[in-house]
Amino acid sequence: MARRKRFTKADILEAAFQIVREKGMEHLTARAIAQELKSSTMPIYSSVSSIREVAEAVVKRAWRVLQDFQSRSVSGDAFIDMGLGYVLFSKEEKYLFKCIHDDAYAAINTRCSELSFESHLKKLETNPLFAHLSREISEKIMFHGFLFSHGFASLLNSGISTHLRTLNSEQAIIDLFKEAAAFSWLGMKSAIE
């Protein structure tokens, strides 16, 4: 009799993450995970309490991937890099971007978003442009930056950007984002003064 292969919970969560990353949350099922592991569904059901538990773990991991993108130094300015990381995440991780905005996981996504916002505000305390600003003004700047970044990210994630010649490469996206950030800073500076 052939010996059955055992899978850890980590193996199951990794398989689930890869399914969502490549195909989207709507394709996450016990059967899909079993196919990814070349197994039956039995080891999945004996390792996790529900597919919902697996999906929630995937959502949390998607947020960690976003954090990695936002921590990359692309422009040399931490504020710009946070927004740019969000935009590039939406382009390179299309299904994970959708995952962190899925209403089915609103509680997790809201909590992760709040933690992310606080983390970014803390990081910007050392930025010379933010050092002299009140928390209220810093929050407004962060919120406006998020609105711009989210709109840009949604545009890229939707696929419509393939029709816009100026966004045909990562460098074009970076350049456009930096230009928009410079205009935004000029406007905020004049509003504060």
Side-chain angles (χ1 to χ4, degrees), residues 58-79:
V58 169
V59 172
K60 289 175 185 174
R61 184 164 170 197
W63 277 96
R64 290 191 301 273
V65 173
L66 171 59
Q67 288 173 346
D68 290 342
F69 270 82
Q70 291 182 300
S71 296
R72 295 177 188 169
S73 181
V74 178
S75 71
D77 180 314
F79 179 67

Side-chain angles (χ1 to χ4, degrees), residues 9-191:
K9 186 174 181 177
D11 295 330
I12 292 164
L13 295 178
E14 178 62 29
F17 181 78
Q18 293 307 323
I19 290 165
V20 173
R21 181 180 240 172
E22 295 167 14
K23 299 177 183 173
M25 190 64 88
E26 64 274 12
H27 292 278
L28 183 62
T29 63
R31 187 173 303 252
I33 295 169
Q35 287 175 337
E36 184 82 11
L37 295 172
K38 297 176 180 44
S39 168
S40 71
T41 57
M42 179 85 73
I44 295 151
Y45 289 118
S46 64
S47 297
V48 297
S49 61
S50 66
I51 291 301
R52 176 74 185 195
E53 174 191 353
V54 173
E56 288 176 356
V58 169
V59 172
K60 289 175 185 174
R61 184 164 170 197
W63 277 96
R64 290 191 301 273
V65 173
L66 171 59
Q67 288 173 346
D68 290 342
F69 270 82
Q70 291 182 300
S71 296
R72 295 177 188 169
S73 181
V74 178
S75 71
D77 180 314
F79 179 67
I80 292 174
D81 288 342
M82 287 175 201
L84 191 52
Y86 186 80
V87 168
L88 295 175
F89 170 76
S90 79
K91 180 178 183 284
E92 295 178 29
E93 298 288 356
K94 182 178 184 122
Y95 295 113
L96 295 183
F97 180 78
K98 290 178 180 181
C99 181
I100 68 167
H101 297 290
D102 190 329
D103 285 342
Y105 307 97
I108 292 170
N109 286 327
T110 298
R111 182 69 182 134
C112 288
S113 176
E114 290 168 351
L115 290 171
S116 178
F117 190 84
E118 284 301 319
S119 171
H120 293 319
L121 271 176
K122 184 126 184 90
K123 188 185 289 188
L124 290 177
E125 287 175 358
T126 59
N127 185 314
L129 295 171
F130 281 80
H132 67 284
L133 301 177
S134 69
R135 179 173 172 93
E136 182 182 1
I137 296 294
S138 293
E139 285 179 359
K140 283 183 180 181
I141 293 169
M142 282 284 297
F143 183 68
H144 290 153
F146 170 74
L147 290 177
F148 173 77
S149 298
H150 185 68
F152 197 166
S154 296
L155 175 69
L156 288 175
N157 190 267
S158 72
I160 196 169
S161 65
T162 57
H163 303 292
L164 302 173
R165 290 183 352 175
T166 59
L167 303 178
N168 62 359
S169 71
E170 185 171 304
Q171 189 58 52
I173 293 166
I174 292 168
D175 292 344
L176 182 62
F177 197 90
K178 287 168 74 174
E179 180 181 15
F183 286 132
S184 180
W185 272 118
L186 288 172
M188 285 186 276
K189 184 178 175 191
S190 65

